[in-house]
Amino acid sequence: MKKVYVFLADGFEEMEALSPIDVLRRAGADVVTVSVMEREDVMGAHNVCVRADELFEDCNFSDADALVLPGGAGHKVLLNEAPLLEELKKAYAAGKIVSAICAAPMILGTLGFLKGRKATCFPGFEQYLEGATYTHGLSEIDGNVVTGRSAGAAFSFSISLVEALFGKEKSEEIEKAMMA
């Protein structure tokens, strides 16, 4: 079973976190929500409180197949979490999926993961996609990096994550089942 960690910080964009959680679970992934706030309850950008499955400090990410960073104002908290940045570097170096949507792809850009890759993000954050070819697409898969544009692109981003983890056939199956 594929293991996916979704990181939550106060101010996260709810659709950008909950859509991947839902869609990836439908695909058969073991999805774990992780709070970087030193408490289980994390408040979304629109006052939706989510109780995370785990606290960051209690996790061992060695079994991760993918790491997911939602956008929203919470991306600023994620960007300043040195232990999270170290886990992203390890995952990226190991060829595991690293992904971000909306403003959060700036984190991947800052870490140098987007050099020579196609990527997308929320309009206005393109300058942080260091070395990337900005596509303005709903979502992009380039190697082990998946990016998404915005809350409105959350479903496309989620389906792209399924494709990156399980293949095109599975992503089409899940998309068809959800769009019927």
Side-chain angles (χ1 to χ4, degrees):
M1 181 178 290
K2 301 286 185 175
K3 185 80 165 245
V4 180
Y5 291 93
V6 178
F7 297 93
L8 304 176
D10 284 342
F12 73 92
E13 174 57 57
E14 293 92 345
M15 291 201 40
E16 296 167 5
L18 298 177
S19 178
I21 293 165
D22 179 289
V23 174
L24 286 163
R25 285 182 177 167
R26 289 172 193 251
D30 178 10
V31 181
V32 178
T33 57
V34 179
S35 169
V36 300
M37 302 305 300
E38 298 182 352
R39 57 181 150 69
E40 290 178 337
D41 291 339
V42 185
M43 187 60 69
H46 301 96
N47 296 319
V48 175
C49 186
V50 172
R51 176 155 292 162
D53 299 316
E54 300 285 341
L55 299 178
F56 184 90
E57 54 270 20
D58 295 335
C59 289
N60 174 351
F61 302 103
S62 63
D63 61 347
D65 293 294
L67 304 180
V68 180
L69 306 175
H75 86 278
K76 295 174 189 171
V77 176
L78 298 177
L79 181 61
N80 290 303
E81 286 292 319
L84 171 60
L85 300 180
E86 288 306 311
E87 291 300 330
L88 286 164
K89 289 175 187 175
K90 285 185 216 171
Y92 178 78
K96 297 178 180 186
I97 303 297
V98 292
S99 63
I101 183 170
C102 196
M106 75 176 295
I107 299 167
L108 304 182
T110 300
L111 294 171
F113 298 170
L114 302 179
K115 291 181 178 154
R117 296 181 187 271
K118 293 182 298 178
T120 191
C121 66
F122 192 78
F125 283 82
E126 304 89 343
Q127 70 269 22
Y128 301 109
L129 305 183
E130 297 176 26
T133 299
Y134 175 66
T135 68
H136 197 66
L138 293 178
S139 61
E140 294 294 339
I141 302 171
D142 195 333
N144 65 326
V145 177
V146 180
T147 53
R149 187 168 72 199
S150 61
F155 183 69
S156 175
F157 175 68
S158 302
I159 290 296
S160 290
L161 284 168
V162 172
E163 181 178 341
L165 284 164
F166 295 98
K168 186 74 171 163
E169 186 176 322
K170 184 69 168 181
S171 70
E172 289 172 349
E173 172 192 324
I174 296 296
E175 183 173 25
K176 182 179 178 186
M178 292 184 74
M179 298 297 281

